[in-house]
PDB file of all heavy atoms in Angstrom:
ATOM      1  N   GLN W   3     -70.153 -51.849-128.851  1.00  0.00           N
ATOM      2  CA  GLN W   3     -69.866 -53.280-128.907  1.00  0.00           C
ATOM      3  C   GLN W   3     -70.675 -53.911-130.032  1.00  0.00           C
ATOM      4  O   GLN W   3     -71.885 -53.683-130.145  1.00  0.00           O
ATOM      5  CB  GLN W   3     -70.207 -53.952-127.578  1.00  0.00           C
ATOM      6  CG  GLN W   3     -69.801 -55.409-127.512  1.00  0.00           C
ATOM      7  CD  GLN W   3     -70.030 -56.019-126.148  1.00  0.00           C
ATOM      8  OE1 GLN W   3     -70.813 -55.508-125.355  1.00  0.00           O
ATOM      9  NE2 GLN W   3     -69.353 -57.102-125.855  1.00  0.00           N
ATOM     10  N   VAL W   4     -70.002 -54.706-130.840  1.00  0.00           N
ATOM     11  CA  VAL W   4     -70.639 -55.390-131.972  1.00  0.00           C
ATOM     12  C   VAL W   4     -70.512 -56.886-131.737  1.00  0.00           C
ATOM     13  O   VAL W   4     -69.412 -57.387-131.495  1.00  0.00           O
ATOM     14  CB  VAL W   4     -69.973 -54.988-133.300  1.00  0.00           C
ATOM     15  CG1 VAL W   4     -70.584 -55.766-134.456  1.00  0.00           C
ATOM     16  CG2 VAL W   4     -70.120 -53.490-133.530  1.00  0.00           C
ATOM     17  N   VAL W   5     -71.638 -57.589-131.807  1.00  0.00           N
ATOM     18  CA  VAL W   5     -71.642 -59.017-131.507  1.00  0.00           C
ATOM     19  C   VAL W   5     -72.390 -59.772-132.598  1.00  0.00           C
ATOM     20  O   VAL W   5     -73.536 -59.430-132.910  1.00  0.00           O
ATOM     21  CB  VAL W   5     -72.301 -59.299-130.139  1.00  0.00           C
ATOM     22  CG1 VAL W   5     -72.318 -60.793-129.860  1.00  0.00           C
ATOM     23  CG2 VAL W   5     -71.576 -58.555-129.032  1.00  0.00           C
ATOM     24  N   GLU W   6     -71.740 -60.797-133.158  1.00  0.00           N
ATOM     25  CA  GLU W   6     -72.361 -61.641-134.177  1.00  0.00           C
ATOM     26  C   GLU W   6     -72.847 -62.944-133.559  1.00  0.00           C
ATOM     27  O   GLU W   6     -72.325 -63.390-132.542  1.00  0.00           O
ATOM     28  CB  GLU W   6     -71.376 -61.993-135.303  1.00  0.00           C
ATOM     29  CG  GLU W   6     -70.660 -60.833-135.949  1.00  0.00           C
ATOM     30  CD  GLU W   6     -69.291 -60.599-135.370  1.00  0.00           C
ATOM     31  OE1 GLU W   6     -69.068 -60.976-134.203  1.00  0.00           O
ATOM     32  OE2 GLU W   6     -68.433 -60.030-136.082  1.00  0.00           O
ATOM     33  N   SER W   7     -73.796 -63.574-134.251  1.00  0.00           N
ATOM     34  CA  SER W   7     -74.258 -64.905-133.875  1.00  0.00           C
ATOM     35  C   SER W   7     -74.844 -65.582-135.102  1.00  0.00           C
ATOM     36  O   SER W   7     -75.130 -64.912-136.114  1.00  0.00           O
ATOM     37  CB  SER W   7     -75.298 -64.835-132.758  1.00  0.00           C
ATOM     38  OG  SER W   7     -76.441 -64.128-133.194  1.00  0.00           O
ATOM     39  N   GLY W   8     -75.013 -66.898-135.022  1.00  0.00           N
ATOM     40  CA  GLY W   8     -75.710 -67.618-136.069  1.00  0.00           C
ATOM     41  C   GLY W   8     -74.861 -68.469-136.970  1.00  0.00           C
ATOM     42  O   GLY W   8     -75.377 -69.132-137.870  1.00  0.00           O
ATOM     43  N   ARG W  19     -78.523 -68.104-141.321  1.00  0.00           N
ATOM     44  CA  ARG W  19     -78.830 -66.696-141.093  1.00  0.00           C
ATOM     45  C   ARG W  19     -77.939 -66.179-139.970  1.00  0.00           C
ATOM     46  O   ARG W  19     -77.974 -66.697-138.859  1.00  0.00           O
ATOM     47  CB  ARG W  19     -80.293 -66.509-140.723  1.00  0.00           C
ATOM     48  CG  ARG W  19     -80.722 -65.043-140.634  1.00  0.00           C
ATOM     49  CD  ARG W  19     -82.131 -64.941-140.117  1.00  0.00           C
ATOM     50  NE  ARG W  19     -82.687 -63.601-140.259  1.00  0.00           N
ATOM     51  CZ  ARG W  19     -83.412 -63.000-139.326  1.00  0.00           C
ATOM     52  NH1 ARG W  19     -83.648 -63.620-138.185  1.00  0.00           N
ATOM     53  NH2 ARG W  19     -83.912 -61.789-139.524  1.00  0.00           N
ATOM     54  N   LEU W  20     -77.151 -65.155-140.284  1.00  0.00           N
ATOM     55  CA  LEU W  20     -76.301 -64.515-139.297  1.00  0.00           C
ATOM     56  C   LEU W  20     -76.991 -63.271-138.757  1.00  0.00           C
ATOM     57  O   LEU W  20     -77.704 -62.583-139.493  1.00  0.00           O
ATOM     58  CB  LEU W  20     -74.952 -64.123-139.903  1.00  0.00           C
ATOM     59  CG  LEU W  20     -74.150 -65.229-140.584  1.00  0.00           C
ATOM     60  CD1 LEU W  20     -72.810 -64.670-141.073  1.00  0.00           C
ATOM     61  CD2 LEU W  20     -73.930 -66.396-139.656  1.00  0.00           C
ATOM     62  N   SER W  21     -76.747 -63.012-137.483  1.00  0.00           N
ATOM     63  CA  SER W  21     -77.285 -61.813-136.839  1.00  0.00           C
ATOM     64  C   SER W  21     -76.143 -61.022-136.225  1.00  0.00           C
ATOM     65  O   SER W  21     -75.129 -61.581-135.827  1.00  0.00           O
ATOM     66  CB  SER W  21     -78.282 -62.183-135.742  1.00  0.00           C
ATOM     67  OG  SER W  21     -79.370 -62.918-136.264  1.00  0.00           O
ATOM     68  N   CYS W  22     -76.346 -59.721-136.141  1.00  0.00           N
ATOM     69  CA  CYS W  22     -75.335 -58.848-135.538  1.00  0.00           C
ATOM     70  C   CYS W  22     -76.047 -57.718-134.813  1.00  0.00           C
ATOM     71  O   CYS W  22     -76.970 -57.102-135.361  1.00  0.00           O
ATOM     72  CB  CYS W  22     -74.417 -58.293-136.612  1.00  0.00           C
ATOM     73  SG  CYS W  22     -73.282 -56.994-136.038  1.00  0.00           S
ATOM     74  N   SER W  23     -75.597 -57.447-133.612  1.00  0.00           N
ATOM     75  CA  SER W  23     -76.164 -56.329-132.853  1.00  0.00           C
ATOM     76  C   SER W  23     -75.064 -55.350-132.485  1.00  0.00           C
ATOM     77  O   SER W  23     -73.925 -55.754-132.212  1.00  0.00           O
ATOM     78  CB  SER W  23     -76.851 -56.836-131.583  1.00  0.00           C
ATOM     79  OG  SER W  23     -75.913 -57.412-130.701  1.00  0.00           O
ATOM     80  N   ALA W  24     -75.398 -54.079-132.486  1.00  0.00           N
ATOM     81  CA  ALA W  24     -74.488 -53.029-132.046  1.00  0.00           C
ATOM     82  C   ALA W  24     -75.110 -52.331-130.855  1.00  0.00           C
ATOM     83  O   ALA W  24     -76.275 -51.945-130.894  1.00  0.00           O
ATOM     84  CB  ALA W  24     -74.234 -52.031-133.173  1.00  0.00           C
ATOM     85  N   SER W  25     -74.336 -52.187-129.804  1.00  0.00           N
ATOM     86  CA  SER W  25     -74.860 -51.565-128.590  1.00  0.00           C
ATOM     87  C   SER W  25     -73.854 -50.567-128.046  1.00  0.00           C
ATOM     88  O   SER W  25     -72.659 -50.653-128.318  1.00  0.00           O
ATOM     89  CB  SER W  25     -75.166 -52.628-127.537  1.00  0.00           C
ATOM     90  OG  SER W  25     -74.000 -53.340-127.195  1.00  0.00           O
ATOM     91  N   MET W  34     -73.989 -50.775-141.694  1.00  0.00           N
ATOM     92  CA  MET W  34     -73.506 -52.006-141.080  1.00  0.00           C
ATOM     93  C   MET W  34     -73.238 -52.994-142.187  1.00  0.00           C
ATOM     94  O   MET W  34     -73.943 -52.990-143.217  1.00  0.00           O
ATOM     95  CB  MET W  34     -74.528 -52.561-140.080  1.00  0.00           C
ATOM     96  CG  MET W  34     -74.790 -51.628-138.910  1.00  0.00           C
ATOM     97  SD  MET W  34     -75.960 -52.300-137.706  1.00  0.00           S
ATOM     98  CE  MET W  34     -74.956 -53.557-136.896  1.00  0.00           C
ATOM     99  N   GLY W  35     -72.244 -53.792-141.994  1.00  0.00           N
ATOM    100  CA  GLY W  35     -71.886 -54.700-143.067  1.00  0.00           C
ATOM    101  C   GLY W  35     -71.278 -55.984-142.568  1.00  0.00           C
ATOM    102  O   GLY W  35     -71.027 -56.157-141.369  1.00  0.00           O
ATOM    103  N   TRP W  36     -71.078 -56.897-143.510  1.00  0.00           N
ATOM    104  CA  TRP W  36     -70.461 -58.190-143.237  1.00  0.00           C
ATOM    105  C   TRP W  36     -69.215 -58.352-144.099  1.00  0.00           C
ATOM    106  O   TRP W  36     -69.230 -58.017-145.305  1.00  0.00           O
ATOM    107  CB  TRP W  36     -71.443 -59.321-143.537  1.00  0.00           C
ATOM    108  CG  TRP W  36     -72.599 -59.378-142.606  1.00  0.00           C
ATOM    109  CD1 TRP W  36     -73.829 -58.796-142.775  1.00  0.00           C
ATOM    110  CD2 TRP W  36     -72.635 -60.033-141.332  1.00  0.00           C
ATOM    111  NE1 TRP W  36     -74.625 -59.050-141.684  1.00  0.00           N
ATOM    112  CE2 TRP W  36     -73.921 -59.812-140.787  1.00  0.00           C
ATOM    113  CE3 TRP W  36     -71.723 -60.795-140.608  1.00  0.00           C
ATOM    114  CZ2 TRP W  36     -74.303 -60.324-139.546  1.00  0.00           C
ATOM    115  CZ3 TRP W  36     -72.106 -61.299-139.375  1.00  0.00           C
ATOM    116  CH2 TRP W  36     -73.381 -61.068-138.851  1.00  0.00           C
ATOM    117  N   SER W  70     -80.212 -57.426-144.384  1.00  0.00           N
ATOM    118  CA  SER W  70     -81.337 -56.620-143.935  1.00  0.00           C
ATOM    119  C   SER W  70     -80.991 -55.998-142.590  1.00  0.00           C
ATOM    120  O   SER W  70     -80.014 -56.399-141.936  1.00  0.00           O
ATOM    121  CB  SER W  70     -82.619 -57.457-143.836  1.00  0.00           C
ATOM    122  OG  SER W  70     -82.449 -58.523-142.924  1.00  0.00           O
ATOM    123  N   ARG W  71     -81.808 -55.036-142.183  1.00  0.00           N
ATOM    124  CA  ARG W  71     -81.430 -54.261-141.004  1.00  0.00           C
ATOM    125  C   ARG W  71     -82.664 -53.823-140.236  1.00  0.00           C
ATOM    126  O   ARG W  71     -83.702 -53.531-140.824  1.00  0.00           O
ATOM    127  CB  ARG W  71     -80.638 -53.037-141.464  1.00  0.00           C
ATOM    128  CG  ARG W  71     -80.183 -52.096-140.380  1.00  0.00           C
ATOM    129  CD  ARG W  71     -79.249 -51.061-140.957  1.00  0.00           C
ATOM    130  NE  ARG W  71     -78.927 -50.053-139.964  1.00  0.00           N
ATOM    131  CZ  ARG W  71     -78.050 -49.077-140.128  1.00  0.00           C
ATOM    132  NH1 ARG W  71     -77.396 -48.978-141.266  1.00  0.00           N
ATOM    133  NH2 ARG W  71     -77.824 -48.202-139.176  1.00  0.00           N
ATOM    134  N   ASP W  72     -82.518 -53.780-138.930  1.00  0.00           N
ATOM    135  CA  ASP W  72     -83.523 -53.216-138.039  1.00  0.00           C
ATOM    136  C   ASP W  72     -82.884 -51.995-137.385  1.00  0.00           C
ATOM    137  O   ASP W  72     -82.110 -52.131-136.431  1.00  0.00           O
ATOM    138  CB  ASP W  72     -83.944 -54.259-136.993  1.00  0.00           C
ATOM    139  CG  ASP W  72     -85.022 -53.751-136.053  1.00  0.00           C
ATOM    140  OD1 ASP W  72     -85.180 -52.514-135.925  1.00  0.00           O
ATOM    141  OD2 ASP W  72     -85.695 -54.573-135.432  1.00  0.00           O
ATOM    142  N   GLN W  75     -83.351 -51.356-133.578  1.00  0.00           N
ATOM    143  CA  GLN W  75     -82.643 -52.258-132.674  1.00  0.00           C
ATOM    144  C   GLN W  75     -81.143 -52.288-132.940  1.00  0.00           C
ATOM    145  O   GLN W  75     -80.419 -53.006-132.254  1.00  0.00           O
ATOM    146  CB  GLN W  75     -83.203 -53.679-132.806  1.00  0.00           C
ATOM    147  CG  GLN W  75     -84.677 -53.804-132.475  1.00  0.00           C
ATOM    148  CD  GLN W  75     -84.948 -53.493-131.014  1.00  0.00           C
ATOM    149  OE1 GLN W  75     -84.156 -53.824-130.136  1.00  0.00           O
ATOM    150  NE2 GLN W  75     -86.071 -52.836-130.751  1.00  0.00           N
ATOM    151  N   ASN W  76     -80.682 -51.517-133.918  1.00  0.00           N
ATOM    152  CA  ASN W  76     -79.265 -51.558-134.325  1.00  0.00           C
ATOM    153  C   ASN W  76     -78.818 -52.985-134.599  1.00  0.00           C
ATOM    154  O   ASN W  76     -77.783 -53.447-134.111  1.00  0.00           O
ATOM    155  CB  ASN W  76     -78.373 -50.903-133.263  1.00  0.00           C
ATOM    156  CG  ASN W  76     -78.501 -49.397-133.254  1.00  0.00           C
ATOM    157  OD1 ASN W  76     -78.809 -48.779-134.275  1.00  0.00           O
ATOM    158  ND2 ASN W  76     -78.281 -48.779-132.120  1.00  0.00           N
ATOM    159  N   MET W  77     -79.648 -53.698-135.364  1.00  0.00           N
ATOM    160  CA  MET W  77     -79.358 -55.078-135.734  1.00  0.00           C
ATOM    161  C   MET W  77     -79.223 -55.171-137.247  1.00  0.00           C
ATOM    162  O   MET W  77     -79.895 -54.460-138.000  1.00  0.00           O
ATOM    163  CB  MET W  77     -80.496 -56.008-135.297  1.00  0.00           C
ATOM    164  CG  MET W  77     -80.748 -56.035-133.820  1.00  0.00           C
ATOM    165  SD  MET W  77     -79.902 -57.291-132.866  1.00  0.00           S
ATOM    166  CE  MET W  77     -80.012 -58.758-133.785  1.00  0.00           C
ATOM    167  N   VAL W  78     -78.387 -56.084-137.681  1.00  0.00           N
ATOM    168  CA  VAL W  78     -78.269 -56.398-139.098  1.00  0.00           C
ATOM    169  C   VAL W  78     -78.229 -57.920-139.246  1.00  0.00           C
ATOM    170  O   VAL W  78     -77.735 -58.620-138.357  1.00  0.00           O
ATOM    171  CB  VAL W  78     -77.018 -55.742-139.730  1.00  0.00           C
ATOM    172  CG1 VAL W  78     -75.740 -56.354-139.179  1.00  0.00           C
ATOM    173  CG2 VAL W  78     -77.054 -55.846-141.240  1.00  0.00           C
ATOM    174  N   TYR W  79     -78.804 -58.397-140.351  1.00  0.00           N
ATOM    175  CA  TYR W  79     -78.911 -59.828-140.593  1.00  0.00           C
ATOM    176  C   TYR W  79     -78.327 -60.154-141.969  1.00  0.00           C
ATOM    177  O   TYR W  79     -78.379 -59.326-142.884  1.00  0.00           O
ATOM    178  CB  TYR W  79     -80.375 -60.262-140.553  1.00  0.00           C
ATOM    179  CG  TYR W  79     -81.086 -59.832-139.288  1.00  0.00           C
ATOM    180  CD1 TYR W  79     -81.827 -58.649-139.260  1.00  0.00           C
ATOM    181  CD2 TYR W  79     -80.999 -60.588-138.120  1.00  0.00           C
ATOM    182  CE1 TYR W  79     -82.461 -58.231-138.098  1.00  0.00           C
ATOM    183  CE2 TYR W  79     -81.641 -60.186-136.967  1.00  0.00           C
ATOM    184  CZ  TYR W  79     -82.366 -59.008-136.958  1.00  0.00           C
ATOM    185  OH  TYR W  79     -82.991 -58.592-135.809  1.00  0.00           O
ATOM    186  N   LEU W  80     -77.817 -61.358-142.088  1.00  0.00           N
ATOM    187  CA  LEU W  80     -77.330 -61.838-143.368  1.00  0.00           C
ATOM    188  C   LEU W  80     -77.940 -63.211-143.619  1.00  0.00           C
ATOM    189  O   LEU W  80     -77.576 -64.177-142.960  1.00  0.00           O
ATOM    190  CB  LEU W  80     -75.803 -61.913-143.406  1.00  0.00           C
ATOM    191  CG  LEU W  80     -75.206 -62.245-144.768  1.00  0.00           C
ATOM    192  CD1 LEU W  80     -75.426 -61.084-145.745  1.00  0.00           C
ATOM    193  CD2 LEU W  80     -73.717 -62.556-144.648  1.00  0.00           C
ATOM    194  N   TYR W  93     -67.010 -64.958-140.381  1.00  0.00           N
ATOM    195  CA  TYR W  93     -67.779 -63.795-140.825  1.00  0.00           C
ATOM    196  C   TYR W  93     -67.780 -62.740-139.717  1.00  0.00           C
ATOM    197  O   TYR W  93     -68.105 -63.040-138.566  1.00  0.00           O
ATOM    198  CB  TYR W  93     -69.204 -64.204-141.178  1.00  0.00           C
ATOM    199  CG  TYR W  93     -69.288 -64.899-142.506  1.00  0.00           C
ATOM    200  CD1 TYR W  93     -68.769 -66.180-142.684  1.00  0.00           C
ATOM    201  CD2 TYR W  93     -69.866 -64.270-143.613  1.00  0.00           C
ATOM    202  CE1 TYR W  93     -68.816 -66.812-143.916  1.00  0.00           C
ATOM    203  CE2 TYR W  93     -69.931 -64.896-144.847  1.00  0.00           C
ATOM    204  CZ  TYR W  93     -69.407 -66.171-144.991  1.00  0.00           C
ATOM    205  OH  TYR W  93     -69.450 -66.792-146.211  1.00  0.00           O
ATOM    206  N   TYR W  94     -67.414 -61.528-140.119  1.00  0.00           N
ATOM    207  CA  TYR W  94     -67.316 -60.419-139.179  1.00  0.00           C
ATOM    208  C   TYR W  94     -68.353 -59.356-139.517  1.00  0.00           C
ATOM    209  O   TYR W  94     -68.553 -59.010-140.679  1.00  0.00           O
ATOM    210  CB  TYR W  94     -65.930 -59.774-139.247  1.00  0.00           C
ATOM    211  CG  TYR W  94     -64.803 -60.685-138.837  1.00  0.00           C
ATOM    212  CD1 TYR W  94     -64.140 -61.467-139.769  1.00  0.00           C
ATOM    213  CD2 TYR W  94     -64.383 -60.747-137.507  1.00  0.00           C
ATOM    214  CE1 TYR W  94     -63.102 -62.301-139.398  1.00  0.00           C
ATOM    215  CE2 TYR W  94     -63.341 -61.571-137.127  1.00  0.00           C
ATOM    216  CZ  TYR W  94     -62.712 -62.341-138.082  1.00  0.00           C
ATOM    217  OH  TYR W  94     -61.676 -63.161-137.704  1.00  0.00           O
ATOM    218  N   CYS W  95     -68.943 -58.828-138.480  1.00  0.00           N
ATOM    219  CA  CYS W  95     -69.867 -57.709-138.633  1.00  0.00           C
ATOM    220  C   CYS W  95     -69.117 -56.407-138.356  1.00  0.00           C
ATOM    221  O   CYS W  95     -68.232 -56.358-137.488  1.00  0.00           O
ATOM    222  CB  CYS W  95     -71.019 -57.863-137.645  1.00  0.00           C
ATOM    223  SG  CYS W  95     -72.268 -56.554-137.744  1.00  0.00           S
ATOM    224  N   TYR W  96     -69.482 -55.381-139.094  1.00  0.00           N
ATOM    225  CA  TYR W  96     -68.833 -54.070-138.946  1.00  0.00           C
ATOM    226  C   TYR W  96     -69.903 -53.000-138.882  1.00  0.00           C
ATOM    227  O   TYR W  96     -70.864 -53.016-139.659  1.00  0.00           O
ATOM    228  CB  TYR W  96     -67.921 -53.812-140.148  1.00  0.00           C
ATOM    229  CG  TYR W  96     -67.221 -52.480-140.135  1.00  0.00           C
ATOM    230  CD1 TYR W  96     -66.137 -52.266-139.296  1.00  0.00           C
ATOM    231  CD2 TYR W  96     -67.634 -51.457-140.972  1.00  0.00           C
ATOM    232  CE1 TYR W  96     -65.484 -51.034-139.296  1.00  0.00           C
ATOM    233  CE2 TYR W  96     -66.985 -50.235-140.977  1.00  0.00           C
ATOM    234  CZ  TYR W  96     -65.904 -50.037-140.139  1.00  0.00           C
ATOM    235  OH  TYR W  96     -65.261 -48.829-140.131  1.00  0.00           O
ATOM    236  N   ALA W  97     -69.757 -52.085-137.944  1.00  0.00           N
ATOM    237  CA  ALA W  97     -70.693 -50.966-137.813  1.00  0.00           C
ATOM    238  C   ALA W  97     -69.928 -49.661-137.938  1.00  0.00           C
ATOM    239  O   ALA W  97     -68.890 -49.477-137.280  1.00  0.00           O
ATOM    240  CB  ALA W  97     -71.405 -51.024-136.463  1.00  0.00           C
ATOM    241  N   SER W 103     -66.526 -50.146-135.635  1.00  0.00           N
ATOM    242  CA  SER W 103     -66.280 -51.220-134.690  1.00  0.00           C
ATOM    243  C   SER W 103     -66.512 -52.565-135.355  1.00  0.00           C
ATOM    244  O   SER W 103     -67.460 -52.709-136.141  1.00  0.00           O
ATOM    245  CB  SER W 103     -67.212 -51.102-133.474  1.00  0.00           C
ATOM    246  OG  SER W 103     -66.778 -50.104-132.594  1.00  0.00           O
ATOM    247  N   TRP W 104     -65.677 -53.532-135.022  1.00  0.00           N
ATOM    248  CA  TRP W 104     -65.784 -54.887-135.545  1.00  0.00           C
ATOM    249  C   TRP W 104     -66.283 -55.816-134.445  1.00  0.00           C
ATOM    250  O   TRP W 104     -65.971 -55.634-133.271  1.00  0.00           O
ATOM    251  CB  TRP W 104     -64.424 -55.397-136.001  1.00  0.00           C
ATOM    252  CG  TRP W 104     -63.879 -54.738-137.216  1.00  0.00           C
ATOM    253  CD1 TRP W 104     -63.017 -53.676-137.259  1.00  0.00           C
ATOM    254  CD2 TRP W 104     -64.108 -55.106-138.575  1.00  0.00           C
ATOM    255  NE1 TRP W 104     -62.724 -53.360-138.556  1.00  0.00           N
ATOM    256  CE2 TRP W 104     -63.369 -54.230-139.381  1.00  0.00           C
ATOM    257  CE3 TRP W 104     -64.879 -56.101-139.191  1.00  0.00           C
ATOM    258  CZ2 TRP W 104     -63.378 -54.309-140.790  1.00  0.00           C
ATOM    259  CZ3 TRP W 104     -64.880 -56.185-140.578  1.00  0.00           C
ATOM    260  CH2 TRP W 104     -64.141 -55.291-141.363  1.00  0.00           C
ATOM    261  N   GLY W 105     -67.025 -56.835-134.867  1.00  0.00           N
ATOM    262  CA  GLY W 105     -67.366 -57.908-133.966  1.00  0.00           C
ATOM    263  C   GLY W 105     -66.223 -58.902-133.890  1.00  0.00           C
ATOM    264  O   GLY W 105     -65.197 -58.770-134.571  1.00  0.00           O
ATOM    265  N   GLN W 106     -66.427 -59.932-133.081  1.00  0.00           N
ATOM    266  CA  GLN W 106     -65.367 -60.922-132.854  1.00  0.00           C
ATOM    267  C   GLN W 106     -65.365 -62.011-133.918  1.00  0.00           C
ATOM    268  O   GLN W 106     -64.414 -62.788-134.005  1.00  0.00           O
ATOM    269  CB  GLN W 106     -65.524 -61.541-131.460  1.00  0.00           C
ATOM    270  CG  GLN W 106     -66.574 -62.646-131.349  1.00  0.00           C
ATOM    271  CD  GLN W 106     -67.995 -62.152-131.452  1.00  0.00           C
ATOM    272  OE1 GLN W 106     -68.262 -60.957-131.365  1.00  0.00           O
ATOM    273  NE2 GLN W 106     -68.934 -63.081-131.621  1.00  0.00           N
ATOM    274  N   THR W 108     -67.891 -64.928-136.398  1.00  0.00           N
ATOM    275  CA  THR W 108     -68.604 -66.187-136.213  1.00  0.00           C
ATOM    276  C   THR W 108     -68.252 -67.116-137.367  1.00  0.00           C
ATOM    277  O   THR W 108     -68.202 -66.699-138.525  1.00  0.00           O
ATOM    278  CB  THR W 108     -70.131 -65.962-136.114  1.00  0.00           C
ATOM    279  OG1 THR W 108     -70.782 -67.196-135.806  1.00  0.00           O
ATOM    280  CG2 THR W 108     -70.714 -65.383-137.395  1.00  0.00           C
TER     281      THR W 108
END
Side-chain angles (χ1 to χ4, degrees):
Q3 186 175 20
V4 177
V5 179
E6 308 97 335
S7 62
R19 187 186 191 222
L20 305 183
S21 300
C22 171
S23 65
S25 60
M34 297 182 73
W36 292 93
S70 60
R71 179 172 173 174
D72 182 339
Q75 300 295 323
N76 287 332
M77 299 268 317
V78 67
Y79 307 95
L80 187 68
Y93 284 70
Y94 296 91
C95 181
Y96 178 76
S103 283
W104 290 95
Q106 80 289 347
T108 186

